[in-house]
Each structure stands twice: as C-alpha cells, then as structure tokens.
Amino acid sequence: MTRPKDRVIIASDVSGRDGIGVEIYRDDKLVIEIFRDDTKRTRTVTLFQQEIALDLLEERIQTFKEEIPWDFMDSGNFK
C-alpha cells in the first residue's frame, strides 16, 4: 500500500470573502480548507470528503495556527 501524498497551500481569497487560509490536498484532491475570514471575523474548517482522519485534521489545524496570523486584518485600513 502506498502512502498518500499530502500538499499544503497557503492562499488568500478576496473574491466573495476576504481572508487567508490553508488548503490541504491529498493525492492532488482538495480534502480540507481552514480559512480565516477577516470580514466575518471567523475561522472555519471545510471538509471536502465524508471522512477525514482525526490525526490529519489535528495536524493541519496546527499548521494553520503556525502559518496564518491569528489576529484578524482590518481591510478598511488598506488603500
């Protein structure tokens, strides 16, 4: 059995929402998105598969905490 290949991409989004997050791909399929929405001042996890191993989710939440600033940005301050 081959081990799945994971890839993490840090991406911002300003189309329809305003923030930054991490996308987690397993074998080139998007499986998890963890996103900090600065407009709504929320942090959300979206699962793109029915089942995600808890270990993978916990590991990637830690990645999010290490890579994405915790404080919300005030987009009104940018010109």
Side-chain angles (χ1 to χ4, degrees):
M1 176 180 245
T2 60
R3 182 176 166 99
K5 180 182 172 189
D6 290 344
R7 181 169 45 108
V8 177
I9 296 177
I10 298 171
S12 63
D13 188 351
V14 293
S15 174
R17 57 188 184 170
D18 185 13
I20 189 167
V22 294
E23 297 174 340
I24 294 85
Y25 292 82
R26 173 154 279 183
D27 294 330
D28 294 322
K29 292 182 182 177
L30 181 61
V31 293
I32 303 169
E33 178 193 60
I34 307 171
F35 189 74
R36 184 195 77 205
D37 189 316
D38 294 324
T39 302
K40 294 180 181 177
R41 301 181 95 56
T42 59
R43 294 173 197 87
T44 58
V45 175
T46 303
L47 306 176
F48 294 95
Q49 289 185 337
Q50 292 292 84
E51 291 183 14
I52 299 289
L54 182 57
D55 290 346
L56 175 62
L57 184 56
E58 289 175 332
E59 182 179 313
R60 294 312 173 200
I61 288 172
Q62 187 61 38
T63 300
F64 175 83
K65 289 178 176 181
E66 292 170 359
E67 298 292 333
I68 305 300
W70 196 248
D71 295 334
F72 294 105
M73 301 291 291
D74 184 2
S75 59
N77 290 334
F78 299 111
K79 302 279 182 215

